[in-house]
């Protein structure tokens, strides 16, 4: 617009350079179609009209001159008004909108710093009123600013067309001799343009009136939205969202214990969480939220905080929502995206079905219903004969069978443990024996820094998984996978009923000897499950992230017999892989046990052979000694000839001892 204004001003100031100035005007008009306005779409009629104007002006550029008065009234006045009045108005509104936005940010910052520990009603009321006023002011300024921007699109067309129309009319009135160029076709074209300008003006007036009415309606309807924490009864939480956008406060650590909070605009895009700071042209990737975990957390002195952890557990982020409604909607939205619901054809319908399934999972099983009915007053309970009647329908029989089957899987009145309690912190008879000793720092890769050798160092298998503990409870049976599914249903239902969202994250180390739960921060072993005691393991039939195993322990609630406890975990889409790893570990342990037994049997056979060899060699030595003894006895039993001097043959003491041994050997031979 400035270039067009300068070009027309050259026509007005310098009649001698009229040809060059009109040529420059024609050139600028030709370049209009190359412009890309942020709020204006592709207007082919406008571009073609300006192209026609540029051709006519180019033809008349060498022979036309305009009087200063006519140019000032018909050409310079409209464009000057647009430049000096309309454009300056837009810039002024932009500055006012920026000031209102800054005031709103300051009010939100003060509101976010409200302490939840030291409640001050007066300070809270003042800060809330400040947020309400600043938000309302920002909204009003924004709507007027946007209205002016939309109006500018019409004024732009008028500011472009009216000067050109005035210029052409001045040329017609000044050049009487130019009738051969200014024919009837061109006059008709100019008349159509004048009519179009009037139509655009009327359309602009109508659109401005409509926008003013819309602004008034929006102000009335948006009044409750100015409150930072709206009433949840009037604005219910939508738990079926797969896309969400809004401002959040992100915590950034600046030291070991210190941190800052930055307010940024966050929005979801597919399976990614994007963030965009003020002044940025586009958003950047904040975190990949596919297969992530999200949970509400208590964070320092801030309310409505939640934590997002990536699927591999290497990255986490703590964010603060503005209200309780936003807090729950963000958690539900990220949870739906984590389940990859957004990839389906109708994401919201799929999310609604998933949430409905979760609500149905909250419905107690028939066994629980029967227990609750047994605790009701007599006047409100059903007659007992109706339940025990033998003439019941097939449906009632199937219900009773289902109740009996569920009672046979899960022990009645069984408490559910939602957190990991290591034997160091709480001594439980059954769990302490089964879990071994916890609290010892463990290297998950099987390497020990101390002098003592770890039990798992010689293990062939070492696999580490990131899991989150959902709960555990005692079960009656450990030979059917249905017990794991029923335990999952009851634990998830109990968590939903009691609004328990916190989960303890651990590293599950699978070896050929045991399963270990290790603290990811301190590398301390929380629990140890001996692998021979793990008698059953399975994943959820639909949600493969859920898996559980049954541990057979001695003791429990009754010390006289073995008890079974089912542990339920959530993984990062690795439930089947974990079960396969446990199965592989049990197979390796089984083969190792068979090899150990075969080795012991072989050693026993070798010991028997060695013993027989020793007995045989001893027998041979005895036979050899007996032969020697016999030879000596035979030599000593010959008739001794006395010498003339009366001398006798006398045996030495050794010979006498050998003779005694020979006699003993003969006795042994006779006994044999």
């Amino acid at each position: 617009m400035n270039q067009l204004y300068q070009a027309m001003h050259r026509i007005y100031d310098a009649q001698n350079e009229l040809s060059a100035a009109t040529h420059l005007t024609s050139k600028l008009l030709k370049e209009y179609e190359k412009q890309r306005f942020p709020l204006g779409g592709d207007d082919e009629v406008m571009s073609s009209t300006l192209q026609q104007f540029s051709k006519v002006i180019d033809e008349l550029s060498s022979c036309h001159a305009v009087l200063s008065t006519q140019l000032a009234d018909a050409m310079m006045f409209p464009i000057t008004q647009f430049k000096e009045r309309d454009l300056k108005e837009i810039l002024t509104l932009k500055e006012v909108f920026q000031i209102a936005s800054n005031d709103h940010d300051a009010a939100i910052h003060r509101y976010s710093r409200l302490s939840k520990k030291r409640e001050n009603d007066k300070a809270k009321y003042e800060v809330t009123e400040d947020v309400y006023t600043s938000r309302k002011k920002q909204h009003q300024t924004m709507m007027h600013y946007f209205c002016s921007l939309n109006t500018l699109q019409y004024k732009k067309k008028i500011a472009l067309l009216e000067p050109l129309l005035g210029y052409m009319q001045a040329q017609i009135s000044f050049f009487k001799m130019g009738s051969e160029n200014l024919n009837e076709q061109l006059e008709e074209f100019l008349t159509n343009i004048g009519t179009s300008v009037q139509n655009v003006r009327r359309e602009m007036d109508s659109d401005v009136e409509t926008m003013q009415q819309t602004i008034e309606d929006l102000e009335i309807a948006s009044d409750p939205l100015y409150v930072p924490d709206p009433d949840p009864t009037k604005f219910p939480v939508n738990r079926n969202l797969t896309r969400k956008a809004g401002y959040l406060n992100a915590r950034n650590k600046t030291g070991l214990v210190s941190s800052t909070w930055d307010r940024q605009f966050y929005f979801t895009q597919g399976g990614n969480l994007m963030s965009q700071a003020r002044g940025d042209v586009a958003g950047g990737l904040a975190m990949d939220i596919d297969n992530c975990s999200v949970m509400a957390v208590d964070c320092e002195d801030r309310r409505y905080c939640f934590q997002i952890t990536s699927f591999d557990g290497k990255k986490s982020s703590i964010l603060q929502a503005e209200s309780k409604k936003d807090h729950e909607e963000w958690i539900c939205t990220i949870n739906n995206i984590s389940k990859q619901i957004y990839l389906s054809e109708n994401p919201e319908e799929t999310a609604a079905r998933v949430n409905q399934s979760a609500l149905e999972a909250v419905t107690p099983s028939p066994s629980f219903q029967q227990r609750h009915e047994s605790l009701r007053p007599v006047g409100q309970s059903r007659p007992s004969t109706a339940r025990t009647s033998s003439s019941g329908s097939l449906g009632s029989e199937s219900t009773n069978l289902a109740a009996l089957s569920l009672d046979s899987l899960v022990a009645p009145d069984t408490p559910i443990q939602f957190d990991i309690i290591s034997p160091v912190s709480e001594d439980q008879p059954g769990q302490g024996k089964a879990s071994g000793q916890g609290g010892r720092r463990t290297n998950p890769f099987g390497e020990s820094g101390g002098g003592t050798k770890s039990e798992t160092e010689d293990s062939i298998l070492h696999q580490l998984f990131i899991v989150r503990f959902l709960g555990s409870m005692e079960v009656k049976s450990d030979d059917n996978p249905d017990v794991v599914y029923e335990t999952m249903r009851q634990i998830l239902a109990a968590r939903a009923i009691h609004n328990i969202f916190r989960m303890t994250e651990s590293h599950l180390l699978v070896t050929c000897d045991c399963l270990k739960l290790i603290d990811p921060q301190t590398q301390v072993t929380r629990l140890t499950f001996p692998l021979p005691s793990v008698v059953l393991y399975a994943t959820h039939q639909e949600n493969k992230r859920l898996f559980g195993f049954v541990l057979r322990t001695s003791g429990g609630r009754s010390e006289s017999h073995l008890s079974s406890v089912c542990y339920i975990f959530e993984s990062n889409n690795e439930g089947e892989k974990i079960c396969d790893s446990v199965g592989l570990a049990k197979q390796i342990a089984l083969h190792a046990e068979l090899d150990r037994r075969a080795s012991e049997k072989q050693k026993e056979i070798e010991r028997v052979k060695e013993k027989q060899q020793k007995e045989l060699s001893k027998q041979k030595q005895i036979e050899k000694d007996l032969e020697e003894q016999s030879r000596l006895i035979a030599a000593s039993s010959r008739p001794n000839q006395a010498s003339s001097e009366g001398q006798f043959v006398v045996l030495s003491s050794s010979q006498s001892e050998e003779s005694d041994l020979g006699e003993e050997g003969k006795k042994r031979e006779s006994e044999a």
Side-chain angles (χ1 to χ4, degrees):
M1 184 57 63
N2 288 331
Q3 291 179 353
L4 187 60
Y5 174 80
Q6 292 175 3
M8 292 184 177
H9 201 275
R10 284 185 62 185
I11 298 173
Y12 175 72
D13 290 338
Q15 295 184 9
N16 295 330
E17 297 180 359
L18 182 59
S19 178
T22 50
H23 181 70
L24 179 59
T25 304
S26 176
K27 181 180 179 181
L28 291 175
L29 294 177
K30 290 179 181 179
E31 293 179 353
Y32 174 83
E33 62 179 0
K34 300 179 182 179
Q35 303 298 321
R36 295 294 178 265
F37 298 101
L39 299 182
D42 296 334
D43 193 350
E44 297 181 357
V45 177
M46 188 70 182
S47 300
S48 61
T49 303
L50 293 180
Q51 289 293 328
Q52 186 67 25
F53 270 115
S54 65
K55 292 179 181 180
V56 175
I57 294 174
D58 193 32
E59 292 176 358
L60 299 176
S61 61
S62 59
C63 60
H64 284 182
V66 180
L67 294 176
S68 300
T69 305
Q70 291 177 330
L71 291 177
D73 294 339
M75 183 179 69
M76 297 303 299
F77 179 77
I79 193 171
T80 303
Q81 286 290 100
F82 178 78
K83 179 176 179 294
E84 298 296 332
R85 183 182 64 186
D86 299 327
L87 291 182
K88 285 186 178 180
E89 179 184 0
I90 289 296
L91 296 177
T92 304
L93 285 175
K94 180 181 179 181
E95 294 177 357
V96 173
F97 174 69
Q98 186 67 34
I99 294 172
S101 298
N102 294 334
D103 293 343
H104 176 255
D105 290 344
I108 285 294
H109 181 68
R110 289 193 296 272
Y111 175 78
S112 299
R113 294 178 60 187
L114 279 176
S115 175
K116 69 176 181 181
K117 297 179 180 178
R118 297 176 295 177
E119 291 289 340
N120 190 340
D121 294 336
K122 182 179 179 181
K124 183 177 180 180
Y125 175 78
E126 292 176 355
V127 173
T128 304
E129 190 68 19
D130 192 11
V131 172
Y132 173 85
T133 305
S134 61
R135 184 168 289 177
K136 184 175 182 180
K137 181 180 177 182
Q138 185 198 26
H139 193 197
Q140 291 175 347
T141 307
M142 176 188 66
M143 289 189 292
H144 288 292
Y145 180 43
F146 291 169
C147 177
S148 299
L149 285 175
N150 292 330
T151 307
L152 182 65
Q153 307 309 309
Y154 298 100
K155 292 181 178 180
K156 177 189 68 177
K157 297 179 181 180
I158 296 173
L160 285 171
L161 296 177
E162 276 191 342
L164 300 176
L165 182 61
Y167 174 77
M168 295 305 301
Q169 289 175 349
Q171 292 288 355
I172 293 172
S173 63
F174 183 75
F175 290 107
K176 302 290 185 178
M177 304 297 294
S179 60
E180 66 278 2
N181 293 328
L182 302 176
N183 50 25
E184 294 181 357
Q185 184 178 1
L186 185 57
E187 290 180 358
E188 183 181 358
F189 169 73
L190 297 178
T191 303
N192 293 335
I193 296 300
T195 305
S196 300
V197 171
Q198 296 301 324
N199 293 335
V200 170
R201 189 182 298 277
R202 285 193 296 270
E203 185 179 353
M204 179 189 69
D205 295 338
S206 176
D207 201 357
V208 168
E209 184 178 355
T210 304
M211 285 189 290
Q212 291 294 339
Q213 184 63 36
T214 304
I215 289 174
E216 294 178 2
D217 296 340
L218 285 175
E219 287 182 356
I220 297 174
S222 302
D223 189 73
L225 299 177
Y226 298 141
V227 180
D229 196 357
D231 188 0
T233 58
K234 297 181 180 179
F235 301 94
V237 178
N238 188 357
R239 303 181 183 277
N240 303 329
L241 296 175
T242 56
R243 293 185 300 173
K244 187 169 178 60
Y247 280 95
L248 296 173
N249 293 329
R251 189 181 75 169
N252 297 320
K253 285 190 175 182
T254 57
L256 294 176
V257 294
S258 60
S259 60
T260 59
W261 294 83
D262 296 332
R263 188 167 185 263
Q264 292 186 358
F265 184 79
Y266 284 84
F267 59 95
T268 61
Q269 191 174 62
N272 298 323
L273 179 64
M274 314 292 288
S275 64
Q276 183 174 355
R278 176 163 295 181
D280 291 349
V281 179
L285 177 63
M287 184 180 292
D288 182 6
I289 55 178
D290 265 341
N291 299 321
C292 73
S293 62
V294 57
M295 67 182 73
V297 294
D298 293 332
C299 188
E300 300 168 355
D301 202 20
R302 298 265 178 157
R303 302 177 299 171
Y304 310 136
C305 294
F306 58 94
Q307 181 178 1
I308 308 173
T309 305
S310 60
F311 70 96
D312 54 2
K314 296 181 180 179
K315 185 177 181 181
S316 63
S317 179
I318 296 179
L319 303 173
Q320 180 193 16
E322 190 174 290
S323 63
K324 184 177 181 180
K325 176 178 178 293
D326 280 348
H327 177 257
E328 295 185 8
E329 283 188 351
W330 272 108
I331 291 178
C332 294
T333 302
I334 295 175
N335 193 23
N336 291 336
I337 295 175
S338 175
K339 297 175 182 177
Q340 298 183 349
I341 297 178
Y342 67 94
L343 297 176
S344 59
E345 295 182 358
N346 296 317
E348 292 192 1
E349 293 182 4
T350 306
R353 287 198 301 270
V354 172
N355 292 330
Q356 184 64 28
S357 301
L359 290 176
E360 292 174 356
V362 174
T363 305
S365 63
S367 60
F368 281 96
Q369 292 177 359
Q370 293 177 4
R371 295 175 202 142
H372 293 168
E373 289 176 358
S374 64
L375 297 176
R376 291 179 183 173
V378 179
Q380 296 179 358
S381 62
R382 297 181 182 178
S384 58
T385 57
R387 256 185 236 166
T388 58
S389 175
S390 60
S391 60
S393 62
L394 182 61
S396 63
E397 292 178 0
S398 62
T399 303
N400 293 332
L401 290 175
L404 291 174
S405 63
L406 293 178
D407 281 337
S408 65
L409 294 177
V410 180
D413 302 329
T414 304
I416 299 177
Q417 181 177 318
F418 294 109
D419 201 359
I420 296 177
I421 302 176
S422 63
V424 174
S425 61
E426 182 172 329
D427 189 11
Q428 296 180 356
Q431 206 173 21
K433 295 176 183 178
S435 303
Q437 297 297 327
R440 184 173 64 84
R441 188 178 297 274
T442 304
N443 192 325
F445 297 99
E447 300 175 359
S448 176
T452 59
K453 195 170 184 180
S454 175
E455 296 177 357
T456 59
E457 283 186 5
D458 297 332
S459 179
I460 301 175
L461 181 67
H462 283 85
Q463 289 190 350
L464 197 67
F465 303 94
I466 298 174
V467 297
R468 288 169 292 279
F469 181 69
L470 294 177
S472 63
M473 61 187 299
E474 187 175 346
V475 295
K476 277 188 172 183
S477 173
D478 56 10
D479 56 356
N480 191 346
D482 291 338
V483 69
V484 180
Y485 306 147
E486 176 64 16
T487 306
M488 289 180 181
R489 191 194 67 78
Q490 292 200 20
I491 290 178
L492 292 177
R495 278 182 168 269
I497 292 173
H498 299 290
N499 294 325
I500 300 175
F501 301 105
R502 186 186 299 276
M503 294 182 289
T504 303
E505 185 170 279
S506 304
H507 288 171
L508 179 64
L509 179 63
V510 181
T511 66
C512 298
D513 302 322
C514 61
L515 307 180
K516 286 187 177 182
L517 285 180
I518 303 172
D519 191 328
Q521 301 295 332
T522 61
Q523 297 300 316
V524 171
T525 301
R526 290 173 172 166
L527 288 177
T528 301
F529 307 102
L531 193 62
S533 300
V534 180
V535 296
L536 182 65
Y537 47 90
T539 59
H540 196 274
Q541 293 173 330
E542 296 179 358
N543 188 358
K544 299 303 181 182
R545 298 169 62 181
L546 299 179
F547 75 97
F549 58 83
V550 178
L551 188 74
R552 184 179 295 170
T553 61
S554 61
R557 292 187 298 173
S558 178
E559 295 287 345
S560 61
H561 60 84
L562 295 177
S563 64
S564 300
V565 180
C566 185
Y567 294 83
I568 304 301
F569 296 87
E570 181 189 25
S571 64
N572 295 333
N573 205 15
E574 295 178 341
E576 292 182 346
K577 189 183 295 185
I578 295 175
C579 289
D580 293 340
S581 179
V582 175
L584 179 61
K586 292 185 75 67
Q587 289 182 4
I588 294 176
L590 177 61
H591 288 299
E593 180 66 19
L594 294 177
D595 292 343
R596 186 186 64 81
R597 292 181 181 179
S599 177
E600 289 181 355
K601 188 174 182 180
Q602 184 67 27
K603 289 181 180 179
E604 183 67 24
I605 294 174
E606 290 178 357
R607 284 197 297 268
V608 171
K609 288 183 178 180
E610 185 178 356
K611 186 176 180 180
Q612 292 177 353
Q613 188 69 25
K614 287 182 179 180
E615 290 290 339
L616 185 60
S617 61
K618 187 176 180 180
Q619 187 68 26
K620 289 181 178 180
Q621 183 66 31
I622 291 172
E623 291 178 357
K624 186 177 180 181
D625 292 341
L626 288 176
E627 290 179 359
E628 184 67 23
Q629 295 288 341
S630 300
R631 187 179 61 79
L632 292 175
I633 291 172
S636 61
S637 62
R638 292 174 184 175
N640 297 322
Q641 300 293 333
S643 60
S644 57
E645 290 82 10
Q647 296 178 346
F648 296 93
V649 178
V650 181
L651 295 175
S652 63
S653 62
S654 62
Q655 289 176 348
S656 64
E657 291 176 357
E658 289 177 356
S659 64
D660 294 337
L661 291 174
E663 291 177 359
E664 291 178 359
K666 288 180 179 180
K667 290 180 180 180
R668 291 176 183 172
E669 285 182 352
S670 62
E671 291 176 357

